[in-house]
Amino acid sequence: MLTLTPGAAGLDDLEAVWREGRAVRLDPEARPGVEAAAARVAEAAAGGAAVYGVNTGFGKLATVRIAPVDTATLQRNLILSHCCGVGETLDVATTRLMMALKLLSLGRGASGVRWEVVAQIEAMLARGVVPVVPVQGSVGASGDLAPLAHMTAAMLGEGEALHGGERMPAASALAAAGLAPVALGPKEGLALINGTQFSTALALAGLFRGWRCAAASLVTACLSTDAIMGSDAPLHAGIHALRGHRGQIEVAAAMRALMAGSAIRDSHREGDARVQDPYCIRCQPQVAGAAVDLLRFAAATLVTEANAVTDNPLVVGAAILSGGNFHAEPVAFAADQIALALAEIGAIAQRRVALMVDPALNHDLPPFLTPAPGLNSGFMIAEVTTAALMSENKHLANPCSTDSTPTSANQEDHVSMAAHGARRLGRMADNLAVILGVEALCAAQGVEFRAPLRTSPRLSPVLAAIRGASPALGQDRLLAPDIAAAAALVRDGTLVRAAGIEEFRP
């Protein structure tokens, strides 16, 4: 059981929820603040003053007053009417992370929900009740309304949920877990759906997957450098210290350590007619380092957002104030930044693949890395696949945050588009894992052509891991299974662990 402290959850906590499926509860010390805010909302609901979302309608209907007897019905109707999501179902890991983020937001004691609502989310996470949430329908303001409505509906016993690996009516899932539907009080429905947790969860998932790819790209780049008998001189610490960017300095240091002791590299320190390697080899620290810095900047934004209160209105002291924290512009910007980093890591890696298969550039390796070119095509079309995925990621990297359209009868007239900006990151990370997987296959093949010379002690276990998933390519064979296996080595962290750079963290 992972205990989260509202306002203080870290990136490692959030990744543990997403990657390990940890059960979550809020720090019990959050309870008094939560209950105090709920009492203030209950007082407002019973009073005569109009308070948005407590005793009024929503959005353009905010001028419609709701009688105290109807405030509970108002919240239930809000949830049911907003369950308008479409498309495929959000994956279980990201749905659970979204629920944990909602806990963190409610736990700050500004949303006005009762502790029973918090306990319902905690119990669903602990007992494996996962709402079925369609991924399309949010424009990223006023919050992720449709996706979060589907999450909330399951808490009420409406809609669908997963339990024990089966999809079923939410009421049945709750019953199977020994839980009862929760009945919403004043403002509670609005507090649950008016926030950025769907977009933030997707952006965090993209960050976690993207960071693993970024770390793996250091490993594949080093192996590719040995495959084409490239130089490690551009990794010299002095070069990178003079520029001063943290990511560049750290990438160069990691690559120096990975390549240290390579007999392949030592074999051509003298008498090599080549003066400089192409940019895809020589500038890996500059490109990957810039991507690392960008990912870290996005990570800082997302950690802040994960701990934020993003519904509306908010209980601030004795006041209940309307604002706009539901606008997901910070998440949209972070998602665009992650997308740029993923696209550029893939772009430079694809050029290394192209370099290794090209006999005019690969320093005496056979064409397309096959021992019998002509009769065999080797990695010819694997390289084309990486080009296709690289180009697809370039298109996907176009910004989403610069788009907006008015909604809700022009009341919500500027929106962030954070939801699909974050959602595309999963597809981009999948594409990047394939590009890096193919690079790993080509680099392993190239390094083995340099025998009896051997790569470095740190890269030798990487080579063994690749060969454990994909034998050396002699005669042509169906390569799709090898590509899938190599991409899995990137996604599951095998390459990073084999190289011993797990400490390379955001």
Side-chain angles (χ1 to χ4, degrees), residues 42 93 105 161 199 248 427 505:
S105 183
S199 297
Q248 178 179 330
R427 180 175 166 192
R505 299 279 299 159

Side-chain angles (χ1 to χ4, degrees), residues 50-51 53 55-67 74:
V51 179
N55 53 16
T56 73
F58 306 102
K60 194 71 171 179
L61 302 175
T63 57
V64 179
R65 288 292 299 271
I66 307 300
L74 173 71

Side-chain angles (χ1 to χ4, degrees), residues 334-355:
D336 281 348
Q337 291 158 355
I338 294 168
L340 289 171
L342 299 186
E344 280 299 276
I345 292 168
I348 195 168
Q350 198 282 327
R351 297 317 303 157
R352 291 192 294 268
V353 174
L355 180 69

Side-chain angles (χ1 to χ4, degrees), residues 37 40-41 109-112 309 311 313-323 325:
R40 178 67 188 94
V41 167
S111 300
V309 185
D311 62 285
L314 298 176
V315 181
V316 181
I320 301 178
L321 305 176
S322 287
N325 281 2

Side-chain angles (χ1 to χ4, degrees), residues 55-146:
N55 53 16
T56 73
F58 306 102
K60 194 71 171 179
L61 302 175
T63 57
V64 179
R65 288 292 299 271
I66 307 300
V69 70
D70 291 326
T71 54
T73 302
L74 173 71
Q75 300 300 315
R76 182 177 180 84
N77 286 350
L78 172 69
I79 301 308
L80 299 180
S81 68
H82 283 52
C83 285
C84 296
V86 298
E88 64 188 43
T89 300
L90 185 64
D91 65 278
V92 168
T94 308
T95 303
R96 295 184 77 262
L97 178 58
M98 175 180 67
M99 296 167 72
L101 295 179
K102 180 55 75 174
L103 281 176
L104 283 169
S105 183
L106 299 179
R108 294 287 298 276
S111 300
V113 304
R114 295 163 298 144
W115 191 257
E116 288 88 338
V117 173
V118 170
Q120 181 80 338
I121 300 175
E122 290 178 337
M124 291 170 69
L125 286 168
R127 302 188 193 185
V129 179
V130 182
V132 170
V133 177
V135 297
Q136 291 174 280
S138 173
V139 294
S142 162
D144 294 314
L145 295 172

Side-chain angles (χ1 to χ4, degrees), residues 353-376:
V353 174
L355 180 69
M356 286 186 282
V357 301
D358 187 344
L361 298 172
N362 64 16
H363 198 59
D364 300 327
L365 293 173
F368 303 105
L369 300 171
T370 175
L375 179 62
N376 294 285

Side-chain angles (χ1 to χ4, degrees), residues 490-506:
V490 174
R491 283 194 300 269
D492 68 15
T494 296
L495 291 188
V496 171
R497 289 190 297 274
I501 59 168
E502 299 97 320
E503 75 282 357
F504 196 79
R505 299 279 299 159

